[in-house]
Amino acid sequence: MKDRTLKSNLYHSLGQEVQPKRLGETINYCTEIMKEQMFYKEEPRTSFFQYLSDVFRFEGIPIFILQAVTLFFVCLMIASVADIPQNIPIFMPLFVVAAMPVLFKSQLYGMSEIEAVTRASGAQIMLTKLVLAGSANLVCITIVLCLEVSLQNDCSKLGQMVLYCLVPYLVCMTGMLRMVRLQRRKSIWTCAVVMLGSCVCWAFISRVIPWLYATSAIGFWLIAFVVFGIFFVKEVLFIVEMRKEGKMYGIIA
């Protein structure tokens, strides 16, 4: 293409002839912008607690509503079932199930890839949701324990009842986090089946192995609490490590 033809095409495209003076001004202006970009000030990172507050505005209400509904159902069942201490573990997995819709939201809606490239990182998002869900769970468990003591009218077995609450809860939370980390999209349904199946398992144990709930078996519950507590803490520490590295927690699906 000849220079005259090129000049004609540019003239018709731009609507006017290119002026060397204006062109030089534009080049200088772009050069100044590029120089400023070389010395930009890094924005301060959002603190974890500030980010937790932001997530609470979007996820806090769904978490607490689901937990409140589950708590109402559990309290209703406990108040109507005999041999209450033995039946406490049956209901603990339900609080984990109530937290699943929020914790599995990115996998359920196919948003894992977007979360992986955000500034907060997928691990920080998971950690904040876990903190909110765990807080709601602890409140619900405390209310259940208060109801148990009130119905039993006896505080002598409070330590045992605390273990009856925490051991099944830690087992289910650890299992759920591993499913989030190791399984792909739609693993929420697998997790729901496992959690509900654990309710049946605890009900079966309370009927078949009643001696497990005797005072003499308190050592077994303490060992189980320590073992699954370690597994749960290790999983949480792994999330914290992924958060520091700005990585995704789990498989992008």
Side-chain angles (χ1 to χ4, degrees):
M1 182 181 292
K2 296 181 179 180
D3 292 342
R4 184 179 299 175
T5 305
L6 177 60
K7 185 176 181 179
S8 175
N9 290 338
L10 290 173
Y11 178 80
H12 289 296
S13 299
L14 300 175
Q16 59 182 359
E17 188 174 357
V18 177
Q19 301 178 16
K21 181 180 179 181
R22 295 292 185 184
L23 180 61
E25 291 178 357
T26 303
I27 293 174
N28 292 334
Y29 182 67
C30 292
T31 302
E32 290 297 326
I33 293 176
M34 293 300 296
K35 288 181 179 179
E36 291 177 0
Q37 293 294 323
M38 293 175 63
F39 302 100
Y40 72 94
K41 294 182 179 180
E42 185 177 357
E43 296 182 20
R45 294 188 64 85
T46 304
S47 66
F48 176 76
F49 291 102
Q50 178 61 44
Y51 186 74
L52 180 64
S53 176
D54 294 336
V55 173
F56 177 78
R57 290 185 297 167
F58 295 97
E59 305 290 0
I61 293 177
I63 288 175
F64 286 107
I65 288 178
L66 288 172
Q67 292 294 328
V69 172
T70 305
L71 177 63
F72 175 78
F73 171 76
V74 170
C75 290
L76 190 65
M77 293 296 295
I78 286 177
S80 61
V81 175
D83 298 325
I84 292 173
Q86 291 185 340
N87 289 289
I88 293 175
I90 300 173
F91 303 106
M92 292 303 105
L94 298 179
F95 293 113
V96 179
V97 173
M100 284 170 44
V102 173
L103 296 176
F104 277 91
K105 182 177 287 187
S106 61
Q107 293 186 12
L108 189 61
Y109 292 100
M111 302 294 288
S112 301
E113 187 173 354
I114 295 177
E115 287 188 355
V117 297
T118 59
R119 185 179 180 185
S121 83
Q124 177 155 306
I125 296 172
M126 174 58 68
L127 185 60
T128 53
K129 290 180 179 180
L130 187 61
V131 169
L132 293 175
S135 301
N137 290 154
L138 289 178
V139 171
C140 292
I141 290 173
T142 302
I143 294 174
V144 169
L145 285 172
C146 291
L147 177 62
E148 295 282 359
V149 172
S150 175
L151 292 173
Q152 291 289 314
N153 197 22
D154 183 12
C155 296
S156 60
K157 293 186 178 180
L158 180 60
Q160 287 178 255
M161 290 190 289
V162 170
L163 290 174
Y164 296 163
C165 289
L166 293 182
V167 171
Y169 176 76
L170 290 174
V171 171
C172 292
M173 284 296 291
T174 303
M176 183 191 66
L177 289 177
R178 289 190 63 83
M179 289 185 188
V180 172
R181 179 159 62 92
L182 300 178
Q183 294 202 19
R184 295 183 179 275
R185 192 175 177 179
K186 305 299 183 184
S187 58
I188 183 175
W189 308 117
T190 303
C191 187
V193 171
V194 172
M195 296 300 110
L196 295 176
S198 67
C199 293
V200 177
C201 181
W202 286 109
F204 179 78
I205 290 174
S206 67
R207 300 297 182 272
V208 177
I209 318 177
W211 61 264
L212 191 62
Y213 296 87
T215 305
S216 58
I218 194 70
F220 170 83
W221 289 93
L222 286 172
I223 293 172
F225 173 74
V226 172
V227 171
F228 287 100
I230 291 173
F231 285 146
F232 179 71
V233 170
K234 287 181 64 176
E235 199 68 29
V236 172
L237 291 177
F238 180 77
I239 299 175
V240 173
E241 187 65 27
M242 292 296 100
R243 169 184 170 269
K244 290 180 180 179
E245 297 178 7
K247 294 182 179 180
M248 185 71 189
Y249 177 76
I251 299 172
I252 298 176

